[in-house]
Amino acid sequence: MLEQKEKSRYIAVLSGDIIRSTELSHDMYEKLLYTLHYQLTLICSRNSKNKFEITRGDSFQVLLEDPENAATYALLIRTSLKSENENYDCRISIAIGHDVSIRHTISKSTGDAFTLSGRTLNDMSSDTLKITTLQQPFNEHFNLLTKYLDHHISGMTERQCAITYLELKYQQHLTQKEIAELLGANRVSINRSIKTANIKLTTEYTQLFSQKVKEFFL
């Protein structure tokens, strides 16, 4: 009896760069890098096989062995930066593809996920979040949704980004009172920010993304 061929494994790759990094003061730039490094370390703590690299000071790439969480991770990075300072932000390209050749360093790894992610990031102009996969039906399903979400996140205030970040980090397990305590704010203002920014729509997007990735790829 012939051995059954091993099922192809899918991974996700996040490629990103800091927006207008050269316009930041030295202190602001160092604080941004600290925040970015902390978030990338957090992402890798969620799955021991995840890896990241920061290159040229303002570019980064993340290999994800849990592709269903790629959108959550990308939004954790963006909202963490924007919650620190309204001048902080980054572009992120998410790609899902086959695990072809994963090496000790991300920069030396190859495969369609790396190619798609890097190529899409290079082609991004006004967009700051994009998703590309090998499955066109998946892309068509998320293209417009991601465009709306990208615009929505870009327009959030620091407070709204901070709340969104906590919602994503703790997977909606925090009460409004707990969020208020963490942010040193009163519960009424937190409730108002949640409603004004429709923050629940962001978490609903990540839940839908996770569900669809499992249906299409896992």
Side-chain angles (χ1 to χ4, degrees), residues 187-211:
R187 185 174 175 179
V188 174
S189 68
I190 294 299
N191 180 268
R192 184 165 55 244
S193 293
I194 290 174
K195 289 182 178 179
T196 303
N198 287 318
I199 288 173
K200 293 298 181 184
L201 293 179
T202 304
T203 53
E204 287 175 6
Y205 173 94
T206 59
Q207 290 168 356
L208 178 64
F209 178 90
S210 179
Q211 173 190 330

Side-chain angles (χ1 to χ4, degrees), residues 59-73:
S59 299
F60 58 91
Q61 200 163 47
V62 191
L63 163 67
L64 302 175
E65 297 280 356
D66 49 347
E68 68 275 15
N69 295 320
T72 298
Y73 294 153

Side-chain angles (χ1 to χ4, degrees), residues 13-168:
V13 173
L14 307 185
S15 296
D17 58 19
I18 304 303
I19 296 174
R20 298 184 297 275
S21 60
T22 57
E23 299 176 13
L24 301 174
S25 68
H26 175 74
D27 288 344
M28 290 178 66
Y29 183 65
E30 289 298 314
K31 187 175 182 181
L32 181 151
L33 284 183
Y34 177 83
T35 302
L36 175 62
H37 191 277
Y38 175 84
Q39 296 311 318
L40 297 179
T41 302
L42 173 67
I43 289 169
C44 290
S45 72
R46 298 286 179 91
N47 187 307
S48 61
K49 293 183 179 180
N50 292 347
K51 301 177 182 178
F52 76 87
E53 284 184 4
I54 299 177
T55 58
R56 302 196 311 274
D58 62 355
S59 299
F60 58 91
Q61 200 163 47
V62 191
L63 163 67
L64 302 175
E65 297 280 356
D66 49 347
E68 68 275 15
N69 295 320
T72 298
Y73 294 153
L75 292 172
L76 277 172
I77 295 170
R78 284 198 67 198
T79 55
S80 68
L81 293 178
K82 288 176 63 62
S83 66
E84 287 286 341
N85 190 302
E86 62 181 4
N87 295 307
Y88 293 170
D89 204 353
C90 63
R91 300 182 305 159
I92 299 180
S93 165
I94 303 173
I96 298 176
H98 296 97
D99 169 15
V100 177
S101 181
I102 307 302
R103 298 186 172 92
H104 292 298
T105 60
I106 294 177
S107 58
K108 293 181 179 179
S109 299
T110 58
D112 39 38
F114 290 94
T115 301
L116 287 172
S117 182
R119 184 181 297 158
T120 300
L121 181 67
N122 291 335
D123 291 340
M124 288 167 66
S125 53
S126 58
D127 295 315
T128 45
L129 182 66
K130 272 200 168 183
I131 298 172
T132 314
T133 77
L134 299 169
Q135 296 285 346
Q136 194 57 30
F138 183 93
N139 298 339
E140 291 173 355
H141 188 88
F142 276 95
N143 280 346
L144 188 57
L145 287 174
T146 304
K147 218 174 245 299
Y148 273 111
L149 178 69
D150 185 14
H151 178 74
H152 185 59
I153 295 293
S154 296
M156 281 185 176
T157 65
E158 290 180 15
R159 170 62 59 80
Q160 290 167 344
C161 283
I163 297 170
T164 305
Y165 172 77
L166 291 175
E167 290 273 4
L168 292 168

Side-chain angles (χ1 to χ4, degrees), residues 4-10 98 214-218:
Q4 185 178 3
K5 187 177 180 181
E6 184 178 352
K7 184 179 180 181
S8 178
R9 190 166 61 102
Y10 283 91
H98 296 97
K214 291 174 182 177
E215 290 177 8
F216 276 83
F217 304 102
L218 305 181

